[in-house]
Amino acid sequence: MIVEDGSNPFELGVATELFGLRRPELDVPWYDFTLSAAGPVAMHAGLFTMSDVPGLDAVGRADTVIVPNRPDPETAPSAPVLAAIKAAAARGARLVSFCTGAFSLAAAGVLDGRRATTHWRWADAFRARFPSVRLEPDVLFVDDGDVLTAAGSAAALDLGLHLIRRDHGAEVANTVARRLVFAVHRDGGQRQFIERPVPDIPDASLAPVLAWAQRHLDRPLTVHDLAARASTSPATLHRRFQAELGTTPLAWLTAERVTLACRLIEQGELRLDAIARATGLGTPANLRVHLRRRTGLTPTAYRSHFTRAEPDRR
């Protein structure tokens, strides 16, 4: 992770928590995380200064590079940082930005013609400055293959868990999320900011009905079933899902079914019909469609990528 004068400590903390802490309980090879800077770094608002940070040459050895965010996006990154980002892109490293870090990627020219997002507050300024970037200003994060961008600071957690899910599978990502007490998975396509007035009497949380649905994914649940469980109408439930989660009940339910399917595949279940029944997706064909739509992989490819071979016990 590159840090530079003015970088936000929150994003630094997110990356350190997700990728820097040792997690021996997971029994998977974890990330070798390091910071990188051109010199001593004064963090945002002068809260503290970091010294003895490894130099930018560390960027040249990294498979994934997280670029610095810009508290003042109108101020361009330093020339050494831009050069490091360009060199990382040229050799095929995976590039990641949190919040206004998309300005750093765009300034380095690596977002031209590609999909990206940034904080909603800076969307107009970003679009005016970098018109060749396909900005998606309303989403939490964008996964464009080897370049990934998150919106506001909290969306860095969503994107970080998405990266872990891509690298290690849903089971590992869910375990890390539970450690963070951040168990709810939010898809990148959800809206990053929801305008709504504070009600006079707040709605009861959706948590009980969500937990109930997660325990009964093998059933052919419908929006009407969820509404009945929440003792409300389908229309009201839809409004509450949009307000609290930024998505629809059906989209949330489908995402939960696919996440469960991923976990079953990772745990070694080979029978697609059994997985389809256990997740409520119905048929192997329907399972294939939704798994490919959510992960870009077929069940066979997902199994090959995320299921570790059993050790030889002879």
Side-chain angles (χ1 to χ4, degrees), residues 6-313:
S7 289
N8 192 330
F10 184 88
E11 281 86 349
L12 173 64
V14 167
T16 302
E17 174 75 26
L18 289 174
F19 308 117
L21 297 188
R22 300 298 92 193
R23 301 190 183 277
E25 74 278 7
L26 295 178
D27 193 30
V28 295
W30 205 239
Y31 303 92
D32 182 12
F33 177 79
T34 187
L35 300 179
S36 180
V41 175
M43 299 301 285
H44 181 50
L47 292 174
F48 58 89
T49 298
M50 296 193 303
S51 57
D52 297 324
V53 180
L56 290 175
D57 58 330
V59 177
R61 301 186 296 272
D63 300 306
T64 299
V65 177
I66 305 174
V67 305
N69 69 308
R70 315 298 314 161
D72 178 7
E74 300 302 322
T75 302
S78 67
V81 167
L82 284 177
I85 295 172
K86 291 177 181 179
R91 65 180 175 80
R94 182 168 62 181
L95 299 174
V96 178
S97 72
F98 296 155
C99 196
T100 52
F103 281 80
S104 297
L105 289 178
V110 301
L111 290 182
D112 291 348
R114 305 192 67 155
R115 298 166 53 240
T117 192
T118 192
H119 194 286
W120 59 268
R121 181 183 176 189
W122 296 103
D124 290 342
F126 185 97
R127 190 180 285 109
R129 186 172 175 185
F130 304 108
S132 62
V133 180
R134 296 159 55 195
L135 186 69
E136 298 183 13
D138 247 357
V139 300
L140 291 178
F141 63 83
V142 170
D143 180 343
D144 200 42
D146 58 346
V147 179
L148 302 95
T149 51
S153 298
L157 278 166
D158 296 292
L159 178 55
L161 288 169
H162 173 74
L163 282 168
I164 293 172
R165 187 175 292 106
R166 260 184 50 170
D167 294 341
H168 297 289
E171 186 70 24
V172 169
N174 289 341
T175 299
V176 174
R178 286 194 295 272
R179 283 281 299 273
L180 291 169
V181 197
F182 192 76
V184 177
H185 167 50
R186 300 193 297 173
D187 287 319
Q190 291 186 27
R191 294 171 61 193
Q192 59 174 277
F193 181 71
I194 303 165
E195 285 276 14
R196 64 186 176 114
V198 177
D200 294 331
I201 302 176
D203 286 336
S205 169
L206 284 172
V209 72
L210 299 182
W212 174 82
Q214 288 169 330
R215 292 194 302 270
H216 299 92
L217 290 175
D218 58 321
R219 300 182 183 179
L221 298 176
T222 66
V223 174
H224 282 80
D225 294 327
L226 297 182
R229 184 72 185 184
S231 301
T232 189
S233 69
T236 298
L237 184 73
H238 192 279
R239 287 194 296 271
R240 287 178 58 188
F241 261 77
Q242 288 286 6
E244 294 187 32
L245 302 179
T247 188
T248 65
L250 184 59
W252 178 86
L253 195 57
T254 301
E256 290 297 312
R257 295 190 192 284
V258 175
T259 297
L260 177 57
C262 291
R263 295 180 67 179
L264 293 174
I265 292 172
E266 292 168 28
Q267 291 168 2
E269 177 58 70
L270 301 177
R271 300 164 300 166
L272 294 188
D273 58 339
I275 296 173
R277 287 196 304 272
T279 59
L281 289 171
T283 66
N286 201 35
L287 168 62
R288 290 188 186 94
V289 167
H290 287 291
L291 189 69
R292 179 180 282 277
R293 185 175 298 161
R294 309 290 293 199
T295 69
L297 300 171
T298 65
T300 300
Y302 190 92
R303 181 180 296 112
S304 175
H305 190 77
F306 290 115
T307 304
R308 290 181 294 162
E310 288 295 319
D312 190 343
R313 302 187 184 278

